[in-house]
Amino acid sequence: MVDIIKVIDSAADLEKKVEYYFTMPDDEKRSLLEGLKKEKSGDIGLFLNAIYPEEHDKDIQKLIRKLIFLLRSSGVKVEEPRSTGGTSLKKVDEARENRGFMTNFDISQSRLVMAAYEIKKNTFVFLNGEIHFSEGLRELMSAPVHRKDLEKIIASYKADTREPMFLTEISPAYAAFIVEEGANRSGRFTDGIKPLKSFAAHLKDTVHRPEDIYHLKVPDQDEHVSMEDVLNHPMFKPFFLNWEKAGEDKKKYSSESGTTIVLPGHIIEEKRSAFIANLSERSDIRSQEPFLKRMLEDYAYFFHAMGNYALYLETIALIKGSRTFTDVLAHFLRKTLEAAEDKPVENGLIINPYG
């Protein structure tokens, strides 16, 4: 914190300091401001006046006013804080370029979420997170990169992503949400993503949270698709459900075809459908429904970004329909139970942004 105070105690590049301040969580803001109590310079006054109009926490605003009063009382020339007017951070946000990307889930139930946030002209903070379907954020890497290097990283991702893996560009604010959501779920990297959360809150993107995905604009549609059209899209091909007793349940499911008596095909199908229906009511399976819903929400966003508006609309309908969502769960249960035991294992998705 001492180093930050030293940096702030200079009028040069005030906008960058204001921008950095608003990436800090509230507790760090308070620690910083407490540390400024001993500083007596006009440059500190300029900084305080720059952050005051954009600070929405009333207690922190009160602390800023107190610091300005102390400066003025010690003889430092400082303007009275303005309640409106200054919009330093908003100007910075509008001038900066930010990008976000995500992939679909691979066969190990992991996907990548990436984001690049421009902190100064042509310099970005690049984030690269591995998100597991149910466990949340497993890995998080970040690195400062120049624009040219960022373009190379993105090009590398695109070149290395081949069907059935897909990479699509998403709103930088939503990329930040996914990383935050994953950190909350796994309990890892929660401190590290606090500045990201604060920064993303100021971004003016169409999609910030999953509920925004439901209201994306689409052109008039004459094409109608089915649940099977959605779930048989190559994007879903690598994904299988996983639960503790999956191996045991797979053996029971296979035995439904009969071992000593050859049963007619329609009888086998009835028995297997009943098995899946009973399995879908079990608590360890029902617990996966929220994660499956979140996957469908993000895949709906995928379809919209790809321009597959009919698939987008049908995916949203599947999520909203309680009966059809049960059918979605049954689809993935059947797919998992009927999958070959020796599914290939793919290489990890994480790419090191350091090169």
Side-chain angles (χ1 to χ4, degrees):
M1 195 62 69
V2 173
D3 291 337
I4 297 174
I5 293 172
K6 288 180 179 178
V7 170
I8 289 173
D9 194 12
S10 168
D13 214 351
L14 180 61
E15 276 195 350
K16 292 178 187 176
K17 293 164 192 173
V18 173
E19 181 180 8
Y20 180 78
Y21 169 84
F22 282 105
T23 67
M24 301 171 71
D26 287 347
D27 56 343
E28 291 186 14
K29 288 179 182 178
R30 293 188 184 93
S31 296
L32 170 63
L33 294 171
E34 289 291 340
L36 292 176
K37 284 183 176 180
K38 298 178 182 179
E39 305 299 318
K40 308 295 180 185
S41 76
D43 294 331
I44 293 296
L46 288 173
F47 171 74
L48 294 172
N49 267 310
I51 63 174
Y52 182 81
E54 297 300 322
E55 179 55 69
H56 300 297
D57 186 290
K58 292 183 179 179
D59 291 335
I60 297 178
Q61 278 190 331
K62 184 177 179 181
L63 181 55
I64 295 171
R65 289 197 301 269
K66 182 179 179 181
L67 289 174
I68 292 175
F69 173 78
L70 290 174
L71 284 173
R72 290 170 63 87
S73 299
S74 65
V76 177
K77 293 184 178 180
V78 184
E79 293 182 6
E80 287 286 349
R82 303 182 305 276
S83 59
T84 59
T87 55
S88 300
L89 181 65
K90 291 181 180 178
K91 290 180 181 178
V92 169
D93 285 343
E94 292 169 0
R96 300 286 189 244
E97 178 183 352
N98 306 294
R99 302 186 71 180
F101 300 87
M102 69 177 175
T103 73
N104 54 323
F105 286 99
D106 67 9
I107 204 166
S108 65
Q109 291 195 320
S110 289
R111 63 171 170 166
L112 291 184
V113 175
M114 297 152 283
Y117 303 99
E118 192 174 15
I119 54 175
K120 63 180 181 180
K121 187 173 178 61
N122 293 323
T123 300
F124 296 78
V125 171
F126 180 75
L127 299 178
N128 182 2
E130 179 192 357
I131 312 285
H132 185 267
F133 173 73
S134 60
E135 296 174 13
L137 185 61
R138 282 180 165 178
E139 299 290 341
L140 181 65
M141 296 190 297
S142 64
V145 296
H146 190 272
R147 180 182 296 276
K148 291 182 179 179
D149 295 322
L150 175 64
E151 291 172 354
K152 290 178 182 178
I153 292 171
I154 294 172
S156 177
Y157 272 113
K158 290 180 177 179
D160 292 340
T161 304
R162 297 181 180 85
E163 196 173 311
M165 295 307 298
F166 292 80
L167 174 72
T168 192
E169 189 153 3
I170 60 175
S171 83
Y174 191 60
F177 171 84
I178 295 175
V179 172
E180 178 195 351
E181 177 188 49
N184 291 337
R185 189 181 299 168
S186 68
R188 303 180 63 190
F189 310 104
T190 51
D191 290 336
I193 59 95
K194 286 181 180 178
L196 175 63
K197 179 181 178 181
S198 299
F199 181 82
H202 293 274
L203 299 179
K204 297 179 179 179
D205 293 333
T206 302
V207 178
H208 276 251
R209 303 180 67 82
E211 48 265 36
D212 299 329
I213 295 171
Y214 290 77
H215 309 292
L216 296 173
K217 294 181 179 180
V218 298
D220 293 336
Q221 290 297 299
D222 294 327
E223 181 184 5
H224 297 283
V225 297
S226 66
M227 180 184 78
E228 288 73 21
D229 292 323
V230 171
L231 300 182
N232 289 328
H233 187 277
M235 191 160 55
F236 289 95
K237 183 177 180 181
F239 179 78
F240 295 85
L241 288 173
N242 187 28
W243 63 97
E244 186 176 353
K245 296 182 180 180
E248 179 183 335
D249 290 329
K250 180 176 287 192
K251 291 179 181 179
K252 292 179 180 178
Y253 178 80
S254 298
S255 70
E256 292 296 331
S257 61
T259 54
T260 59
I261 301 176
V262 177
L263 298 175
H266 71 280
I267 299 296
I268 294 174
E269 177 57 30
E270 288 177 3
K271 291 169 70 68
R272 289 188 166 185
S273 295
F275 181 89
I276 290 174
N278 290 330
L279 183 62
S280 65
E281 294 299 323
R282 216 167 65 191
S283 60
D284 58 336
I285 302 300
R286 301 292 291 188
S287 65
Q288 301 208 38
E289 286 190 1
F291 309 130
L292 189 59
K293 177 184 176 182
R294 282 291 297 112
M295 182 181 78
L296 289 179
E297 287 172 335
D298 286 350
Y299 282 22
Y301 193 4
F302 251 111
F303 290 137
H304 189 277
M306 293 174 176
N308 291 334
Y309 301 117
L311 292 179
Y312 159 76
L313 292 172
E314 178 63 17
T315 305
I316 294 298
L318 292 177
I319 300 168
K320 290 182 175 180
S322 58
R323 185 191 67 80
T324 51
F325 188 76
T326 300
D327 292 339
V328 172
L329 177 61
H331 169 90
F332 285 108
L333 283 172
R334 181 184 292 270
K335 178 183 176 183
T336 301
L337 293 170
E338 295 180 355
E341 294 289 348
D342 55 345
K343 297 193 298 290
V345 178
E346 298 178 354
N347 293 328
L349 290 168
I350 296 293
I351 296 177
N352 187 348
Y354 293 93

